[in-house]
Amino acid sequence: MNKQQLESFLTIVEIGSISRASEVLYISQSTLSDRLKSLEQELGFTLINRGPGIKQIELTDRGTEFLDYTNRFLALDREIQEWRLNDHQQSIRVGAPASVNSYFLRAFYQDLLTDRQHLQLEISAHWNRTIYSMVNLAELDFGIVSRPYHSQNIETIPLMREPVVFAYDRRYSDYQNLDQLAVRDQISIEWGPAYQLWAENYWNLDEQPRVRLDSPELLMAYLESKHAWASMPLCIWQALNQANPHVQQIVSHHHPYRELFLIYHQSAYAGGQQAYQDFRHDLYRFILACDQKGLCQSLLSDVVQE
């Protein structure tokens, strides 16, 4: 039995499908199945029911019991590795979509490194589903996501709502209100289910946007075309407008938003490491400060704020 087998088992359970779990782990489905079979043979019992008619992952009774041991083992393994590498340096690994890391949280990360001299930050950008998988595998300490998923092992805390605004480059377009916007001229990025629901109610999304992007870095370039427009969180519009004053916001009485959530593994945070607690509380204070500045609406409960 090895760590690789345990991580593979945990990913299968978390994703709910061997085929999709193999994509997350960047291995073939046959390789992942072999790891699971090898683990079951070594343990001497079946962890997951398989057979005709079974479409979703079903843990056996022993599999459910073993899942708890797996989570505890991986959490303990990470603590041991941190202790072995450096018992003075505090390390936090954070994953979030690129738009969150590069724009909304940039000032937070800078302040964190200034205020906590002994803190080592590892910041990486991933899709929401990948962030959940990495937190579950103890490859990330914290994740910040715009699309929450159900997980029995991961705590999901609503953080904030950030306004989504509509922008265009006035050298190429001239918009006065949202009714003038056509989906066929849109430079589209996925901003999470809260915004998507609003957009589906406002526009006929049977039309296809002009361009689909997976990151905001190219937004400014693609807005430099006739009739082009894009929706974007307020923090991104502020950055684009500062870099290019021609990027204008359409004044609207509509108030769509994207939501962000903090996630972490329950067993990892239960260890009570001070660095984890400090990070979480610093993040909460940052969100509350942004709320006071009108940059977002905090979703933190009174209990969490304490």
Side-chain angles (χ1 to χ4, degrees), residues 158-220:
L159 283 178
M160 49 151 279
R161 289 176 176 170
E162 182 182 14
V164 171
V165 303
F166 302 87
Y168 65 97
D169 189 315
R170 64 186 178 187
R171 296 172 297 177
Y172 302 90
S173 308
D174 183 17
Y175 292 117
Q176 304 300 320
N177 57 70
L178 299 192
D179 292 338
Q180 297 175 290
L181 303 181
V183 174
R184 63 179 176 274
D185 296 319
Q186 182 183 14
I187 312 303
S188 176
I189 299 181
E190 202 270 318
W191 300 122
Y195 172 76
Q196 185 66 23
L197 180 61
W198 179 90
E200 289 174 356
N201 290 329
Y202 192 85
W203 281 293
N204 175 16
L205 295 187
D206 290 338
E207 286 188 306
Q208 294 299 312
R210 177 183 297 185
V211 179
R212 292 186 186 275
L213 302 176
D214 63 1
S215 173
E217 273 62 38
L218 294 175
L219 264 177
M220 186 179 297

Side-chain angles (χ1 to χ4, degrees), residues 1 7 12 22 25 29 33 43 53-54 71 93 102 109 112 133 186 209 212 219 221 233 248 250 267 291 304:
M1 185 188 313
E7 290 178 338
I12 293 171
S22 66
L25 295 173
Q29 184 173 338
S33 296
L43 291 171
I54 299 178
N71 283 319
R93 300 167 301 171
S102 300
Y109 292 141
L112 198 63
S133 177
Q186 182 183 14
R212 292 186 186 275
L219 264 177
Q248 298 292 301
I250 302 173
S267 63
D291 183 298
V304 167

Side-chain angles (χ1 to χ4, degrees), residues 236-251:
I236 296 178
W237 177 80
Q238 290 175 326
L240 294 188
N241 179 256
Q242 184 176 7
N244 178 6
H246 295 294
V247 177
Q248 298 292 301
Q249 182 183 153
I250 302 173
V251 178

Side-chain angles (χ1 to χ4, degrees), residues 54-85:
I54 299 178
K55 297 182 179 180
Q56 295 183 336
I57 292 298
E58 294 181 2
L59 287 174
T60 63
D61 291 341
R62 298 303 297 273
T64 300
E65 294 173 356
F66 186 69
L67 179 61
D68 180 59
Y69 288 115
T70 300
N71 283 319
R72 287 156 57 186
F73 173 87
L74 292 176
L76 180 60
D77 177 75
R78 178 174 177 269
E79 290 185 25
I80 292 173
Q81 295 304 319
E82 289 183 347
W83 168 81
R84 180 180 64 84
L85 292 173

Side-chain angles (χ1 to χ4, degrees), residues 89-143:
Q89 185 76 34
Q90 297 175 332
S91 176
I92 295 289
R93 300 167 301 171
V94 187
S99 64
V100 177
N101 279 336
S102 300
Y103 295 91
F104 188 78
L105 290 181
R106 181 168 54 186
F108 168 69
Y109 292 141
Q110 292 171 339
D111 292 344
L112 198 63
L113 291 174
T114 299
D115 297 339
R116 303 196 180 279
Q117 296 295 322
H118 296 289
L119 180 65
Q120 178 184 0
L121 270 180
E122 296 181 25
I123 303 169
S124 55
H126 309 281
W127 294 100
N128 291 308
R129 173 66 83 175
T130 302
I131 293 171
Y132 266 87
S133 177
M134 294 179 71
V135 170
N136 198 48
L137 293 173
E139 295 173 355
L140 290 174
D141 301 306
F142 292 98

